[in-house]
Amino acid sequence: DDKHRLTEFGPVMRQLLGDRADKALGRTHWQAFRYGASDEEWQAHKDDLHTHKPFRDFVFAIRSQGVRWVSLGGRPRCGAQGEFIGYHGVGRDITLSKRAERMLVQRNRELQHLVNERTAALEQTNRDLEGFARHIAHELRTPIGHVQGLAHLLQTRAGDRLADEDRNLLDMQVQAAHHM
C-alpha cells in the first residue's frame, strides 16, 4: 500500500511463508523479515520505495524452518488522480540458486586452498632442486677442474712428444672438460 505494507500474497509466496504469511500482512518487508537482510540493504530498499522507484532483484532471507531466499521486484502504482497508492510486486523463491551459489563459493575456497598448498609444495620443490643443482655443480666443478688441469699439464709437458692422434685426443679432453 502507500505505506509500503504488505497487503496480499500469491499462492507461491503463501506456500513459501506458511503460517508467517498472515503475520506478515499489514507490515513492511523490513518489519516482517527484519533479519532477512542487513540494515544497509534494508535502508537502500526503503530509500527506493520512498522515492517511488521501481525495483528488481531485492534479495532477502526468510528464516522459518530453515532459510528460504526470495527475490522481489516491484513497480509503483498510481490511482486515478495520479497519487501513489503502493507497489505491485512479484517475488520469486531463489533458495536453490542461493544454495548452489554458496556451494560454488565453498568449492572455490576449497579449490583455492588446494591450489595454495600445491603452489607452496612446488615452490619448496623448486628451492630444493635449485639447492641440489648448486651442490652438484660445486661437486662436479672440482674433479672436472682436476681433469682439465692434468690434461693441460700433460699437453704442456709432453705435447710435442705425443703422436698427432694422441694430441688430438688430449685436445678433445681439454675442450670437453672446459665445456663441461
Side-chain angles (χ1 to χ4, degrees), residues 6 10 16 23 31 36 45 47 59 62 67 69 75 82 99 104 114 117 121 130 141 149 156 158 170 179:
L6 299 165
L16 178 69
K23 294 175 186 172
Q31 291 169 334
H45 183 57
D47 292 344
V59 175
I62 297 173
V67 176
W69 290 91
R75 294 194 164 276
R99 286 179 185 160
L104 287 173
L114 291 173
E117 283 181 348
E130 287 171 7
R141 193 172 295 126
T156 355
L170 194 55
H179 180 72

Side-chain angles (χ1 to χ4, degrees), residues 23 26 32 49 55 66 68 70-71 87 109 120 125 143 148 153-154:
K23 294 175 186 172
L49 294 179
F55 64 92
R68 302 296 291 191
V70 175
S71 175
Y87 275 89
R109 275 192 211 117
T125 300
Q148 185 180 20
L153 185 62
L154 184 59

Side-chain angles (χ1 to χ4, degrees), residues 45 54-58 71-75 87-92:
H45 183 57
F55 64 92
R56 55 187 301 200
D57 297 325
F58 178 71
S71 175
L72 292 182
R75 294 194 164 276
Y87 275 89
H88 177 77
V90 176
R92 293 182 299 124

Side-chain angles (χ1 to χ4, degrees), residues 114-165:
L114 291 173
V115 166
N116 291 343
E117 283 181 348
R118 179 66 67 143
T119 300
L122 287 173
E123 287 171 349
Q124 182 60 46
T125 300
N126 282 340
R127 284 191 296 274
D128 293 346
L129 284 173
E130 287 171 7
F132 178 71
R134 282 191 303 273
H135 178 73
I136 290 297
H138 176 73
E139 291 296 316
L140 289 176
R141 193 172 295 126
T142 302
I144 290 171
H146 286 134
V147 167
Q148 185 180 20
L150 289 172
H152 187 62
L153 185 62
L154 184 59
Q155 226 176 12
T156 355
R157 285 190 178 175
D160 50 342
R161 291 183 303 204
L162 296 173
D164 288 342
E165 187 178 320

Side-chain angles (χ1 to χ4, degrees), residues 56-115:
R56 55 187 301 200
D57 297 325
F58 178 71
V59 175
F60 65 95
I62 297 173
R63 300 176 197 291
S64 172
Q65 298 173 348
V67 176
R68 302 296 291 191
W69 290 91
V70 175
S71 175
L72 292 182
R75 294 194 164 276
R77 295 184 337 185
C78 295
Q81 308 301 318
E83 75 280 8
F84 175 74
I85 59 172
Y87 275 89
H88 177 77
V90 176
R92 293 182 299 124
D93 182 356
I94 60 167
T95 303
L96 289 178
S97 64
K98 278 297 214 180
R99 286 179 185 160
E101 179 184 328
R102 278 199 176 147
M103 184 182 74
L104 287 173
V105 166
Q106 179 61 31
R107 295 290 185 254
N108 190 41
R109 275 192 211 117
E110 291 169 1
L111 182 59
Q112 188 60 49
H113 179 71
L114 291 173
V115 166

